[in-house]
Amino acid sequence: MRRLFALLLGLIVAGSVFAREAPTVAADPLLEKRAMALAEELRCLVCQNQTIADSHAELAVDLKNQIREKLKAGMSEAQITDYMVARYGDFVLYRPPVKATTLPLWIGPFVLLFAALAGLFYYILRRRRSAQEQPLSEADEARVRSLLESNQERP
Amino acid sequence: MLRARFLIPLAVFAVLVVFLGVGLTLNPREVPSPLINKPAPPFQLPQLHAPDKTFAQKDMLGKVWMLNVWASWCVACREEHPNLVELARSGAVPIFGLNYKDEREDGIAWLARFGNPYRVSAYDRDGRIGIDYGVYGVPETYVIDKAGVIRYKHIGAVTPEILRDKILPLVKELNGNA
C-alpha cells in the first residue's frame, strides 16, 4: 500500500516536471489590464469565434504575450493593432474599419432592414387600398338586408 | 396577381439557395493574407539540422522559392508531405522549411522518417517568425519571387491539384518574367 502511494506520489511529481509553465502575465496590473482590453478586440484565427483574450489556443497565448511585450516596450494600442492587421488582415479585428471592402458588412444590415420595411409598408398600403376599393354591390346589399331582417324575425 | 404572390416565396427560396450554395464553397478557415504582394518578412534563424548555421529569407533573393511552414506535431503536414517530397524530386522549385514551434529532435526524426523535401529548414522554436508571416494554421505554404515578394499563400495541406493548378504555373511565370 505504502509502495503504491509512493508510486502515485512519484507520478504526480513527475507529471509536474513535464507540465508547461503557466501563461505569463505581466507583472504590472495596469499593463495587464491594457493588454487584455486589446486582446478582447482581436479575433483568434485558430478558433474563429473567440477573441484572443478568451482563447487558450497556442497562437492566442503567443499573441497575448506579444501584446504584453509591445505594450511594455511603449507601443500604443493603435500601433499594436496595426501590427496585427499587417500580419493577419482586417479579419483579426472584431470592429473592422469602414472601407470599400468592408462596406457591405457595415451597411448591409441596414439595407436589408430598409428593404423589409419598404416591402411591409407597400403590402399594408396595398391591402388597405384594395379593402377600400370594394364597395358592396347592389345584390350583396340586398342580401345583407334580407339576412339582417331574417335575423330579427327569429324568435 | 395571385401568381406573383406564389412566386415570392419561391424567389426568396432561390436567393437563399444561391447564398447557401456559395457559402458551402467558401472555407472560413482561409483568411486572405494581407502579405500577398508584400515583401516577405525578414528573418534569420538557426537551421534545424545545423544549429550553428543560419538561414535568412534574403539568402534567397534572386530565386523563386517556396517556404513551407511545418511541424512534427501537425497532422495535415504529414498528409501533404508526400506531395512536397515529390515536388522536391522534380526540382521544379526549391522548397525551404520553417519548422514551427517544434522540438528540434522531433523535427529531425520526423524528416528522417517521412523524407526531407527541404533544402534547409529554419528552426522557429518560439513561433515568432510564424507570427510575422501570419501563420495561424500549420501547414502554410508561400511562394516568394526573385525580388523577395510573397506572391502566393496556401493555408492547409498542399494537394497535387493545388500544385498543378496554382503553384507550378505561378513558379513558371515568375521564373519566365525576370
Side-chain angles (χ1 to χ4, degrees), chain A residues 7-67:
Chain A
L7 181 73
L8 278 176
L9 194 72
L11 279 177
I12 291 167
V13 172
S16 62
V17 168
F18 290 110
R20 311 181 61 122
E21 57 188 290
T24 43
V25 170
D28 177 359
L30 190 73
L31 195 95
E32 182 61 20
K33 213 172 157 189
R34 280 175 66 200
M36 289 318 275
L38 189 56
E40 295 276 357
E41 294 284 315
L42 298 171
R43 183 196 303 274
C44 169
L45 281 110
V46 181
C47 26
Q48 293 185 350
N49 288 323
Q50 275 187 311
T51 64
I52 64 171
D54 289 336
S55 173
H56 294 287
E58 221 169 295
L59 180 67
V61 174
D62 285 353
L63 289 179
K64 270 181 275 192
N65 286 334
Q66 287 271 309
I67 293 175

Side-chain angles (χ1 to χ4, degrees), chain A residues 122-134:
Chain A
Y122 174 71
Y123 177 72
I124 290 172
L125 209 69
R126 212 184 55 186
R127 224 169 90 142
R128 188 179 292 166
R129 198 181 299 145
S130 67
Q132 283 170 348
E133 273 171 2
Q134 287 176 340

Side-chain angles (χ1 to χ4, degrees), chain A residues 20 45-48 58-59 62-63 66 69 83-91 123 126, chain B residues 1 5 28-35 100-101 126-128 130-136:
Chain A
R20 311 181 61 122
L45 281 110
V46 181
C47 26
Q48 293 185 350
E58 221 169 295
L59 180 67
D62 285 353
L63 289 179
Q66 287 271 309
E69 246 170 65
Y83 167 90
M84 295 293 176
V85 171
R87 281 157 184 74
Y88 296 102
D90 287 333
F91 191 73
Y123 177 72
R126 212 184 55 186
Chain B
M1 194 66 242
R5 181 174 298 177
R29 300 211 67 85
E30 263 175 43
V31 179
S33 173
L35 289 164
Y100 177 73
K101 303 198 76 163
D126 53 11
R128 186 63 61 89
I131 290 178
D132 282 345
Y133 275 78
V135 171
Y136 61 88

Side-chain angles (χ1 to χ4, degrees), chain B residues 61-116:
Chain B
L61 281 176
K63 295 195 185 86
V64 179
W65 59 296
M66 209 167 106
L67 181 69
N68 176 252
V69 184
W70 66 280
S72 67
W73 46 261
C74 145
V75 179
C77 296
R78 193 178 294 195
E79 189 185 309
E80 72 169 5
H81 207 67
N83 302 327
L84 295 181
V85 171
E86 183 135 326
L87 178 65
R89 202 171 292 148
S90 80
V93 58
I95 312 172
F96 289 78
L98 184 70
N99 184 225
Y100 177 73
K101 303 198 76 163
D102 209 348
E103 299 296 337
R104 196 183 284 273
E105 313 85 75
D106 293 350
I108 291 173
W110 197 82
L111 288 183
R113 187 166 161 206
F114 296 107
N116 184 358

Side-chain angles (χ1 to χ4, degrees), chain A residues 61-142:
Chain A
V61 174
D62 285 353
L63 289 179
K64 270 181 275 192
N65 286 334
Q66 287 271 309
I67 293 175
R68 289 187 189 105
E69 246 170 65
K70 293 197 181 304
L71 281 176
K72 215 178 283 175
M75 274 172 82
S76 72
E77 269 83 351
Q79 279 171 317
I80 297 174
T81 306
D82 289 346
Y83 167 90
M84 295 293 176
V85 171
R87 281 157 184 74
Y88 296 102
D90 287 333
F91 191 73
V92 291
L93 302 176
Y94 264 109
R95 276 184 256 185
V98 183
K99 55 186 192 186
T101 49
T102 58
L103 216 54
L105 209 60
W106 283 96
I107 63 167
F110 298 104
V111 169
L112 283 179
L113 180 71
F114 185 74
L117 282 178
L120 186 69
F121 190 68
Y122 174 71
Y123 177 72
I124 290 172
L125 209 69
R126 212 184 55 186
R127 224 169 90 142
R128 188 179 292 166
R129 198 181 299 145
S130 67
Q132 283 170 348
E133 273 171 2
Q134 287 176 340
L136 286 179
S137 66
E138 291 274 312
D140 280 343
E141 223 157 311

